[in-house]
Amino acid sequence: MEKLKEYYDNCADIKEFIGRMYGLWESIPGNIQNEEPFWTLSYADDPLPWGDEKQTRLIYEKMLDYYKENTIRQYM
């Protein structure tokens, strides 16, 4: 996720990022595709057709921080 976060932070075009992330999701083995945080790659862009780039970005950012958030919870 750290590498994906780095790519996200440096990607100026959200549509390019979306295309690459959906392609990544398609390449993940089926038994992992439906597990979080990878499942998010299949639907994170759903708000975009309504012009809601902010919501799309929030979904991706939550996904990109998934392991960081869960690691913190383990140690609490």
Side-chain angles (χ1 to χ4, degrees):
M1 284 300 160
E2 286 181 37
K3 289 291 184 189
L4 293 179
K5 176 97 168 96
E6 184 179 321
Y7 179 69
Y8 173 81
D9 289 342
N10 294 306
C11 189
D13 183 3
I14 189 68
K15 291 180 182 178
E16 177 185 336
F17 183 79
I18 288 167
R20 290 184 181 258
M21 293 305 102
Y22 191 78
L24 175 62
W25 179 76
E26 288 182 315
S27 70
I28 295 172
N31 61 327
I32 298 173
Q33 279 181 333
N34 297 325
E35 300 289 327
E36 287 297 350
F38 308 106
W39 173 247
T40 303
L41 295 170
S42 71
Y43 69 81
D45 64 328
D46 286 356
L48 206 56
W50 296 281
D52 197 348
E53 182 176 329
K54 182 179 179 180
Q55 183 66 27
T56 296
R57 288 186 176 278
L58 288 172
I59 293 168
Y60 277 120
E61 289 165 12
K62 183 174 173 82
M63 178 207 70
L64 292 167
D65 288 337
Y66 180 85
Y67 289 111
K68 184 180 356 178
E69 291 174 10
N70 286 325
T71 300
I72 291 170
R73 279 190 222 133
Q74 286 179 333
Y75 293 106
M76 296 178 91

